[in-house]
């Protein structure tokens, strides 16, 4: 049986290979990537759809775009950073960048006012994007509530190209506001291809695997909107970012996440208290049996985010497995790495805030 | 049992009093009308909701508005003329006028392109409105596809204030494009009260009785959108305009309708051939038994549209009942009246066309 992937429900993935087979997700061919990226090489980006369209456009010096959206609620955590880094990766590859603030969706489905959404989007998300390296001058940052007429109309036109059975099979129980949100999201992904934005072109959407069904729906709808000549959008899929205690990293569960605004003390407290350990119950036992890095969240964070040096990582892995490296030592190594990054990042973020407003599209 | 009123289905009304009772429609108090109008006095406008809000605003010299929409498909017939005359009635009373071209809806539900909708709206509807006396300088004529951001967003916000059970009870089987159309229509009716349009004010919507459920839904949604402080919109309800053969007058059935672009010959042909008669089968029988004006479409058209002189009308009615006036004579009388009106109207329409383009809101 296919695992159901509902973009509105949290879920755990047990078998990514099965997901890839069931949902037509392809493996990334690392040799074909035009520019190396740690998320691809370490497998955090585990699959894609039609990424070759983007790479071919790049080779042929034809226009291509990157599109993503942000939900302006909660604080910016490591999971958001992965998406941001991929945005920047594609921007540096030459993509026009479109970033949607999902303020219509956050109003409809989470009761967040447009004003609050605007504040969170700029001060929390956009400031972090810029601090991480996004070039705002080459980015079309917009609010769903302030898009062009072509975009607004597109979000209504898509309603003609689906039906409630299809929507139910993806999103489960429907409400009018969920449906309106979905249509708006579909327009977000497709509107970089409107004539007002230069017409059809390859567009890549870096998303979490939880958005897979939404990407598929958007591709199906794009295919049915013959009059627009859309190229089916491409996507790269990211594995679920584990929370400190396992499960999914989520803003709504602060002890599951490392936020990019966390203080050094806060990071220390959360890693020491919550980071799920693959070590043994006592030091003696650990020295004897060693730890299991595959289920150890601290080791996984080092591997995925904070230790780019493969040799060092390998040494840590071996030392942990052998029992030479204790859980407390592994955690401290991670804490130091995270805090070194965060202190530098937070400085950049404060600088970013100062220059933000002039790049924002006003109503 | 309540009669179901589905705005997307044609239906016949057998008992207007029951409709009024079941759906909370009030009788028009003719003494309170600030300006006489034949449609009110003859009962073609048979009921209203909250019309007193508009009349009070007029008395107190406070702003009020008239809002209506047009479906840019098919040709302009006598039924459309009734709505147009009421628009003009409210405009002359002092209402700001909002006229929506339902081009999003006609694209979604009837597959009419925006370009085609634009052409039909201007050349067929707007030209007739102006010829009938609508003052374009005092009218905000707009296309659903070209509304302001506030209007576009409103059409999404309304999705938060209803549910699919409510929508199903009104519109029957739903499709995503129907739902999108409904939300857009609700925004059409409510947007004259947005701050960008001067804020909350009484708004009257002159509609056919087939739109009653839609008015009720819009009022319920307006009531739930507390943050906007909407005044519940008012409406006047028009009886179903009978087609020549009975049933409903409809563009999609050309032999049911008198179009305002019909030639004298065409009018003569349709009335003679199709107008349902309350007369007897033979002249002899008619002379003896007389005709029944209550079911005679020609007489009804004279009464509602083409014979404003009550004394003359009364004479015709008596002569028809007594058998003195034959069906052929009654029809000829109507044909002459219609053609006299149409010839003059068509001249005005040609003049109107010339001045139209400069008043149209461009994309």
């Amino acid at each position: 049986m296919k695992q159901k992937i509902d973009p509105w429900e949290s879920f755990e993935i047990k078998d990514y290979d099965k997901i890839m087979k069931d949902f037509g997700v392809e493996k990334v061919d690392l040799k074909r990537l035009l520019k190396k990226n740690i998320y691809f090489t370490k497998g955090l980006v585990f699959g894609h759809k039609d990424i070759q369209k983007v790479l071919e456009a790049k080779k042929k010096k034809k226009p291509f775009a990157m599109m993503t959206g942000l939900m302006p609620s909660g604080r910016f955590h490591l999971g958001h950073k992965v998406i941001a880094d991929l945005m920047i990766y594609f921007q540096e590859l030459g993509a026009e960048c479109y970033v949607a603030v999902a303020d219509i969706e956050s109003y409809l489905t989470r009761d967040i006012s447009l004003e609050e959404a605007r504040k969170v989007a700029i001060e929390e998300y956009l400031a972090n994007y810029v601090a991480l390296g996004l070039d705002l001058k080459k980015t079309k940052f917009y609010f769903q509530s302030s898009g062009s007429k072509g975009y607004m109309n597109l979000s209504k036109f898509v309603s003609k190209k689906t039906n409630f059975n299809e929507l139910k099979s993806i999103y489960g129980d429907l409400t009018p506001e969920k449906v309106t949100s979905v249509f708006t999201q579909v327009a977000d992904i497709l509107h970089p291809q409107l004539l007002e934005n230069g017409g059809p072109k390859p567009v890549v959407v870096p998303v979490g695997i939880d958005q897979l069904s939404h990407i598929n729906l958007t591709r199906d709808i794009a295919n049915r909107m013959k009059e627009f000549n859309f190229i089916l959008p491409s996507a790269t899929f990211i594995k679920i970012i584990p929370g400190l205690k396992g499960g999914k990293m989520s803003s709504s569960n602060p002890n599951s996440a490392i936020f990019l605004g966390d203080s050094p003390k806060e990071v220390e407290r959360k890693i020491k208290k919550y980071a799920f350990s693959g070590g043994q119950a006592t030091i003696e036992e650990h020295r004897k049996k060693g730890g299991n890095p595959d289920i150890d969240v601290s080791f996984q964070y080092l591997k995925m985010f904070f230790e780019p040096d493969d040799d060092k990582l390998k040494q840590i892995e071996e030392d942990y497995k052998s029992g030479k490296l204790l859980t407390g030592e592994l955690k401290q190594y991670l804490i130091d790495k995270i805090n070194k990054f965060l202190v530098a990042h937070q400085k950049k973020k404060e600088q970013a805030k100062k220059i933000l407003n002039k790049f924002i599209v006003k109503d």
Side-chain angles (χ1 to χ4, degrees), chain A:
Chain A
M1 218 184 98
K2 268 195 187 185
Q3 177 165 4
K4 200 169 140 65
I5 296 194
D6 179 341
W8 268 306
E9 293 298 328
S10 191
F11 63 96
E12 285 192 43
I13 302 280
K14 275 148 202 130
D15 185 346
Y16 280 98
D17 287 337
K18 183 158 163 40
I19 290 283
M20 290 175 74
K21 204 177 138 221
D22 286 349
F23 289 91
V25 174
E26 290 171 78
K27 231 176 171 158
V28 178
D29 181 352
L30 292 174
K31 277 172 284 179
R32 297 192 56 198
L33 278 183
L34 299 175
K35 191 164 155 283
K36 268 206 168 183
N37 175 282
I38 193 173
Y39 296 136
F40 287 95
T41 52
K42 296 213 172 174
L44 193 62
V45 177
F46 75 98
H48 73 93
K49 290 213 169 195
D50 276 356
I51 185 82
Q52 69 281 359
K53 285 181 188 167
V54 168
L55 302 177
E56 276 161 27
K58 165 71 182 168
K59 272 193 204 161
K60 293 180 180 166
K61 299 185 178 173
K62 296 207 166 164
F64 61 101
M66 186 287 307
M67 195 280 143
T68 190
L70 66 94
M71 174 63 74
S73 71
R75 287 181 286 154
F76 197 96
H77 58 54
L78 283 183
H80 300 120
K81 178 180 179 294
V82 176
I83 296 286
D85 289 337
L86 286 168
M87 289 159 61
I88 294 159
Y89 169 80
F90 286 113
Q91 184 171 65
E92 289 175 350
L93 209 63
E96 305 160 26
C97 288
Y98 291 82
V99 182
V101 178
D103 62 346
I104 292 282
E105 182 174 352
S106 62
Y107 170 74
L108 290 179
T109 65
R110 304 183 185 201
D111 236 335
I112 296 168
S113 74
L114 297 193
E115 295 69 28
E116 173 67 13
R118 185 171 197 97
K119 191 176 144 69
V120 171
I122 293 173
E123 294 180 10
E124 186 68 9
Y125 286 79
L126 192 54
N128 276 306
Y129 290 157
V130 173
L132 290 168
L134 190 74
D135 184 348
L136 269 193
K137 282 176 218 141
K138 294 177 187 165
T139 302
K140 196 181 159 192
F141 184 82
Y142 71 99
F143 296 79
Q144 287 180 332
S145 65
S146 300
S148 69
K149 277 175 194 168
Y151 159 75
M152 296 287 196
N153 287 335
L154 184 59
S155 73
K156 296 188 175 187
F157 294 162
V158 298
S159 70
K160 195 176 161 73
K161 304 295 180 178
T162 182
N163 59 60
F164 283 127
N165 283 337
E166 182 172 57
L167 296 174
K168 270 178 203 162
S169 75
I170 297 171
Y171 302 103
D173 282 342
L174 299 175
T175 61
E177 61 268 36
K178 261 194 188 182
V179 170
T180 299
S181 299
V182 168
F183 294 161
T184 304
Q185 283 177 7
V186 172
D188 285 323
I189 296 177
L190 296 181
H191 90 289
Q193 298 192 58
L194 290 180
L195 287 181
E196 66 184 49
N197 291 319
K201 65 176 77 66
V203 177
V204 60
V205 191
V207 288
I209 180 60
D210 50 320
Q211 298 298 313
L212 192 151
S213 300
H214 189 67
I215 294 291
N216 281 349
L217 173 70
T218 304
R219 286 165 56 92
D220 288 340
I221 288 176
N223 190 41
R224 293 168 197 154
M225 299 187 92
K226 301 291 181 207
E227 63 274 39
F228 286 91
N229 292 311
F230 290 135
I231 293 172
L232 301 197
S234 310
T236 57
F237 297 106
I238 300 152
K239 284 183 183 172
I240 291 174
I241 309 295
L244 287 170
K245 297 179 275 187
K248 194 181 170 183
M249 186 175 289
S250 165
S251 300
S252 56
N253 181 1
N255 288 329
S256 75
I258 300 293
F259 296 104
L260 267 62
D262 277 347
S263 69
K265 282 212 161 169
E266 189 64 9
V267 170
E268 185 175 3
R269 185 187 70 82
K270 284 199 277 194
I271 300 283
K272 285 191 173 166
K273 190 162 179 188
Y274 298 112
F276 185 83
S277 170
Q280 303 300 339
T282 65
I283 292 182
E284 291 69 33
E285 209 183 333
H286 189 83
R287 292 285 187 215
K288 210 162 74 185
K289 295 187 187 167
N292 179 358
D294 295 338
I295 59 163
D296 191 288
V297 168
S298 298
F299 180 78
Q300 293 301 321
Y301 281 18
L302 278 176
K303 180 177 164 188
M304 289 191 288
F305 308 123
F306 294 106
E307 185 48 86
D309 184 330
D310 284 340
D311 292 338
K312 270 198 189 164
L313 194 70
K314 205 167 175 178
Q315 191 61 54
I316 292 169
E317 186 171 14
E318 280 170 14
D319 289 352
Y320 197 55
K321 271 185 179 166
S322 73
K324 187 177 168 193
L325 188 69
L326 297 174
T327 293
E329 293 167 334
L330 176 64
K331 285 190 171 186
Q332 191 58 52
Y333 188 84
L334 175 67
I335 290 165
D336 292 344
K337 283 276 184 184
I338 293 179
N339 282 337
K340 192 178 166 198
F341 163 73
L342 286 186
V343 167
H345 175 77
Q346 287 164 11
K347 265 185 206 156
K348 286 185 208 162
K349 191 184 161 193
E350 286 312 304
Q351 287 166 340
K353 273 189 179 178
K354 290 175 199 161
I355 58 153
L356 278 186
N357 276 309
K358 53 179 164 172
F359 291 106
I360 308 295
V361 180
K362 295 279 178 197
D363 279 312

